[in-house]
């Protein structure tokens, strides 16, 4: 399938998910996971309200049926049915009438972008409110307004899901994306789409590592997963958090807390070798769920891949982050980088040269003959020599590729040939 075709499919999934009202809990998350389950089968987990998860507690579950602000004539001047962004996330229920002067205390706008609606939440402080365009607010006359938020905030569950692609070894690579934002196409739906398609592609082959895909609410979801999986954290060897995966900006990779984890080296190599425009930035304890996986008690080798980073584009957390803001080509490109990174992770090994004294005779083992007629024979020969020289148990194939300047695939192919010939072993 071409990149264009994949991009269109990614975009179609974003369009399906876009209207749903998501939050850190509730039926919107479940509906989102039901759609993702059509692409890759998910194991859904429900964690009860009040469950202690590390230093946090699973909150009450929030659901909403309807919400609006109506003028004296009954016209809905702010309407949840038009966009889930219109309601402050986790708003407590309210049904009242009040003058505009008092209502303003509960209204959120973006004066610098008067046609956009902001995304605002109040997860852990009971409040209610509406988000609207500044131009809508400016047009409201003084008077009495009917206010309704038909929501519930009660004991329930936090919902998250996993999809596991079995590998040849039990060691795991985590790919995580957040599923808690409402109608925001780049943050977070593009990441969900890329993760689902990457999982589907990996399931078509048997990778070396076991890949665990996490679809969880931001912050509290990752914390919940970590709290429930402490006994198996040592299996997690690498990880990647996906977000903001569909805007037209260049790719940005944020290193893990370690700074030199294998995933950091792999993404740097893939992005540099591909000659894509990109940025590599250092770890900071703010952003997406990489900060949970990289908290000092866990210190996992987990980085974050975005296009334009969080808060780095004006449309971030506004109604302008809609389905037209994300690009099929950009999502396909993000998926391609993830695919390339997984391929490098899966083939990267440390080898030991079994004939380390002098250069072993490759010809009598048929290794030179195997290169006959190949257009890349010189490159393949050099790759074998480099692998033999650096197969000391200290250098991995990524080291070989970076030091030699040869393509990683050429180096990995050379290692396969040398291992088959009995000259090196992992």
């Amino acid at each position: 399938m071409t990149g264009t075709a994949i991009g269109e499919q990614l975009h179609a999934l974003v369009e399906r998910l876009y209207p749903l009202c998501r939050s850190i809990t509730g039926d919107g998350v479940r509906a989102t996971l039901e759609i993702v389950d059509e692409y890759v089968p998910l194991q859904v987990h429900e964690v009860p309200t009040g469950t202690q998860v590390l230093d946090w507690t699973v909150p009450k579950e929030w659901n909403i049926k309807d919400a609006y602000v109506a003028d004296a004539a009954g016209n809905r001047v702010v309407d949840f049915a038009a966009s889930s962004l219109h309601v402050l996330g986790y708003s407590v229920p309210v049904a009242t009438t009040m003058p505009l002067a008092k209502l303003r205390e509960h209204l959120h706008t973006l004066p610098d972008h008067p046609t956009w609606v902001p995304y605002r939440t109040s997860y852990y402080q009971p409040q209610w409110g509406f988000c609207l365009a500044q131009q809508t607010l400016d047009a409201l006359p003084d008077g009495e307004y009917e206010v309704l938020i038909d929501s519930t905030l009660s004991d329930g569950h936090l919902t998250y899901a996993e999809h596991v692609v079995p590998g040849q070894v039990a060691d795991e690579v985590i790919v995580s994306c957040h599923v808690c934002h409402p109608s925001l196409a780049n943050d977070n739906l593009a990441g969900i789409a890329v993760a689902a398609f990457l999982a589907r592609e990996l399931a078509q082959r048997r990778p070396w590592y076991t890949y665990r895909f996490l679809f969880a609410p931001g912050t509290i979801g990752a914390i919940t997963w970590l709290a429930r999986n402490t006994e198996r954290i040592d299996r997690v060897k690498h990880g990647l958090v996906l977000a903001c995966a569909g805007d037209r900006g260049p790719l940005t990779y944020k290193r893990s807390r370690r700074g030199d984890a294998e995933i950091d080296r792999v993404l740097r190599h893939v992005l540099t070798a591909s000659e894509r425009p990109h940025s590599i930035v250092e770890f900071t304890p703010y952003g997406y769920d990489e900060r949970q996986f990289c908290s000092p008690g866990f210190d996992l080798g987990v980085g974050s891949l975005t296009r334009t980073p969080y808060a780095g584009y004006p449309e971030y957390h506004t109604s302008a982050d809609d389905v037209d803001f994300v690009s099929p080509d950009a999502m396909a490109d993000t998926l391609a980088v993830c695919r390339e990174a997984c391929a490098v992770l899966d083939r990267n090994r440390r080898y030991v040269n079994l004939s380390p004294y002098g250069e072993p005779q490759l010809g009598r083992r048929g290794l030179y003959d195997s290169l006959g007629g190949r257009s890349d024979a010189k490159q393949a020969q050099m790759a074998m020599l480099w692998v033999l020289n650096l197969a000391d148990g200290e250098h991995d194939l990524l080291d070989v590729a970076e030091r030699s300047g040869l393509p990683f695939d050429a180096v990995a192919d050379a290692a396969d040939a040398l291992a088959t010939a009995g000259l090196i072993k992992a």
Side-chain angles (χ1 to χ4, degrees):
M1 187 180 296
T2 66
T4 299
I6 292 174
E8 294 298 334
Q9 290 186 17
L10 288 161
H11 198 266
L13 177 53
V14 169
E15 289 181 312
R16 285 189 66 191
L17 296 173
Y18 184 77
L20 299 177
C21 181
R22 281 164 292 272
S23 190
I24 57 173
T25 63
D27 292 335
V29 174
R30 295 184 184 99
T32 298
L33 297 177
E34 286 176 5
I35 291 174
V36 175
D37 184 70
E38 297 175 18
Y39 291 79
V40 288
L42 298 179
Q43 180 181 8
V44 177
H45 304 271
E46 298 277 4
V47 184
T49 296
T51 302
Q52 189 70 26
V53 286
L54 304 182
D55 195 46
W56 294 60
T57 303
V58 172
K60 292 182 180 295
E61 181 176 326
W62 184 71
N63 286 295
I64 183 168
K65 294 180 180 178
D66 195 12
Y68 61 82
V69 175
D71 61 19
N75 300 309
R76 295 190 177 194
V77 295
V78 184
D79 191 357
F80 169 76
S83 171
S84 58
L85 294 178
H86 277 308
V87 174
L88 177 76
Y90 254 65
S91 281
V92 299
V94 61
T96 189
T97 300
M98 64 179 61
L100 180 60
K102 185 176 180 182
L103 178 58
R104 283 179 181 272
E105 299 173 8
H106 299 275
L107 301 181
H108 305 269
T109 65
L110 292 167
D112 291 342
H113 297 283
T115 64
W116 296 356
V117 177
Y119 165 54
R120 299 287 185 268
T121 63
S122 184
Y123 295 138
Y124 302 105
Q125 294 182 348
Q127 297 184 44
W128 65 268
F130 289 87
C131 300
L132 66 159
Q134 181 67 45
Q135 69 175 18
T136 300
L137 177 58
D138 292 342
L140 296 180
D142 288 335
E144 294 288 313
Y145 287 85
E146 180 189 359
V147 177
L148 174 75
I149 297 179
D150 184 5
S151 65
T152 57
L153 193 59
S154 57
D155 287 350
H157 296 82
L158 178 145
T159 309
Y160 72 90
E162 298 175 285
H163 173 80
V164 177
V165 180
Q168 298 175 52
V169 297
D171 290 344
E172 292 187 0
V173 179
I174 285 181
V175 180
S176 174
C177 59
H178 57 291
V179 297
C180 53
H181 288 7
S183 298
L184 299 174
N186 194 42
D187 176 27
N188 54 344
L189 299 181
I192 295 172
V194 169
F197 274 67
L198 178 63
R200 194 166 67 172
E201 288 188 10
L202 288 171
Q204 294 173 0
R205 60 183 176 85
R206 193 184 179 203
W208 176 254
Y209 287 107
T210 292
Y211 284 80
R212 184 175 299 272
F213 288 80
L214 304 180
F215 300 87
T219 304
I220 187 64
I223 286 172
T224 299
W225 185 86
L226 285 164
R228 301 181 82 212
N229 291 273
T230 53
E231 77 288 348
R232 46 190 303 282
I233 289 298
D234 59 349
R235 293 186 191 175
V236 178
K237 304 305 179 184
H238 319 286
L240 192 63
V241 172
L242 291 175
C244 301
D247 68 84
R248 293 168 174 80
L251 284 155
T252 299
Y253 177 70
K254 176 182 173 182
R255 298 180 193 269
S256 70
R257 177 179 181 269
R258 300 177 190 174
D260 61 351
E262 189 170 339
I263 190 70
D264 302 326
R265 298 170 53 233
V266 166
L267 264 296
R268 181 188 66 195
H269 176 80
V270 167
L271 290 169
T272 301
S274 71
E275 299 185 345
R276 289 177 173 89
H278 69 276
S279 297
I280 296 177
V281 299
E282 296 303 319
F283 174 80
T284 60
Y286 187 74
Y288 293 107
D289 283 329
E290 67 277 359
R291 69 187 194 272
Q292 311 307 333
F293 299 114
C294 292
S295 56
F298 295 109
D299 195 21
L300 298 175
V302 176
S304 173
L305 183 66
T306 64
R307 300 198 75 84
T308 306
Y310 60 89
Y313 51 97
E315 297 85 354
Y316 179 78
H317 280 192
T318 77
S319 58
D321 184 358
D322 59 16
V323 294
D324 294 326
F325 180 68
V326 295
S327 159
D329 288 343
M331 284 189 284
D333 184 55
T334 305
L335 175 61
V337 168
C338 292
R339 183 190 305 122
E340 293 163 23
C342 291
V344 174
L345 275 177
D346 276 344
R347 299 187 75 186
N348 194 32
R349 305 277 192 284
R350 284 183 171 84
Y351 287 91
V352 174
N353 189 334
L354 299 179
S355 182
Y357 299 101
E359 180 181 304
Q361 190 174 11
L362 301 181
R364 69 179 175 86
R365 292 176 171 86
L367 292 171
Y368 279 150
D369 292 342
S370 69
L371 304 178
R374 287 178 49 167
S375 59
D376 63 343
K378 182 65 175 178
Q379 176 178 273
Q381 178 184 341
M382 288 304 301
M384 287 185 187
L385 296 176
W386 271 108
V387 170
L388 285 167
N389 193 268
L390 293 180
D392 54 8
E394 299 295 326
H395 296 86
D396 58 22
L397 296 184
L398 192 56
D399 289 324
V400 178
E402 292 182 341
R403 186 164 176 179
S404 68
L406 295 168
F408 179 85
D409 283 347
V411 170
D413 288 345
D416 288 344
L418 292 167
T420 300
L423 286 172
I424 61 174
K425 70 173 182 178

